[in-house]
Amino acid sequence: MTLVLASTSPRRYQILSLLGLPFLMVPPASREVLSGARPPAQEALHQARQKAASLVSRFPDAVILGSDTLINLDGRLIGKPSSLDDARAILQRLRGRTHDVVTAVSILDQSKNVDAVETARVTIRDFTDTELDAYLATGDPLDKAGAYAIQGAGRDLVASLDGDYLAVVGLPLKAVAEGLAKLGCPVTDVDRLYRERNSLNWRTFGP
């Protein structure tokens, strides 16, 4: 079986590597255009499906994994910033507030499709403008949904996390393992892996 990760994200690559399976990482041939007509979970799932489906013609015999992460702030969807100015505006809206991080996964082969959506709650602390400027200067926010990376320097902006840490980073590993099992590719020791990682404080490690 050939497993293909439809992504350019080094974070998703690192997380999927934890399963110990060989896989290819290939950029999806779809464009991320958000629609306000779909609820957050459905929008994230739509994007994940589009990414996976975009590679079917290139890899007709493969299992293809697509994933997408969105921020839901009081019903308003937030994706990746288009510029540093946009990142500043996004982080200013998130400052001192709690939002949902919605990550969807779509896994498909020639005959089946398995979908999953994980939602976590993240509270951003009331950081100062000086701290915001320093974070923007790192360039880290530019390719991240919500303009921050909880596994990087952006974790210093986070007050609390309620939910799956790896889903917030970009790929809910347990949901992926369960989906692969349904497609005939069982993955062992995922529960142990989660126990080990969840025994650590989310502030102290990245994928």
Side-chain angles (χ1 to χ4, degrees):
M1 182 196 75
T2 300
L3 175 61
V4 177
L5 173 63
S7 178
T8 59
S9 168
R11 299 168 297 282
R12 291 192 176 114
Y13 179 90
Q14 290 170 332
I15 295 172
L16 188 58
S17 296
L18 294 173
L19 293 181
L21 298 174
F23 66 93
L24 305 174
M25 185 168 76
V26 180
S30 61
R31 294 178 62 245
E32 293 186 41
V33 180
L34 299 185
S35 167
R38 286 180 284 263
Q42 289 302 311
E43 180 61 31
L45 190 54
H46 171 76
Q47 299 294 336
R49 287 171 175 167
Q50 291 287 102
K51 291 177 182 179
S54 73
L55 297 181
V56 168
S57 61
R58 289 184 60 188
F59 302 93
D61 298 322
V63 172
I64 306 175
L65 165 62
S67 184
D68 194 70
T69 300
L70 297 173
I71 302 299
N72 173 21
L73 178 64
D74 298 334
R76 181 176 180 181
L77 296 181
I78 301 174
K80 298 175 183 177
S82 58
S83 64
L84 278 178
D85 286 340
D86 189 27
R88 180 185 299 276
I90 290 171
L91 289 169
Q92 287 173 334
R93 290 202 301 274
L94 296 178
R95 178 163 51 186
R97 304 179 67 185
T98 299
H99 61 270
D100 290 336
V101 179
V102 183
T103 298
V105 171
S106 183
I107 311 172
L108 59 87
D109 64 9
Q110 304 95 318
S111 60
K112 297 179 184 177
N113 193 101
V114 179
D115 297 329
V117 179
E118 293 281 344
T119 300
R121 299 277 284 171
V122 174
T123 299
I124 300 296
R125 64 183 181 83
D126 190 14
F127 52 80
T128 67
D129 288 342
T130 299
E131 289 174 309
L132 175 57
D133 289 339
Y135 182 52
L136 290 171
T138 67
D140 193 51
L142 283 178
D143 65 339
K144 315 297 191 304
Y148 72 93
I150 197 169
Q151 77 281 6
R155 78 181 63 194
D156 292 334
L157 306 181
V158 176
S160 65
L161 162 66
D162 181 12
D164 185 344
Y165 168 79
L166 292 181
V168 176
V169 176
L171 194 67
L173 192 63
K174 195 167 186 177
V176 169
E178 290 171 352
L180 290 174
K182 290 178 181 178
L183 295 179
C185 180
V187 182
T188 60
D189 292 334
V190 176
D191 288 336
R192 177 188 58 79
L193 174 64
Y194 260 75
R195 284 196 302 272
E196 290 176 355
R197 296 186 73 81
N198 289 339
S199 68
L200 301 172
N201 188 309
W202 61 268
R203 289 186 176 281
T204 64
F205 65 95

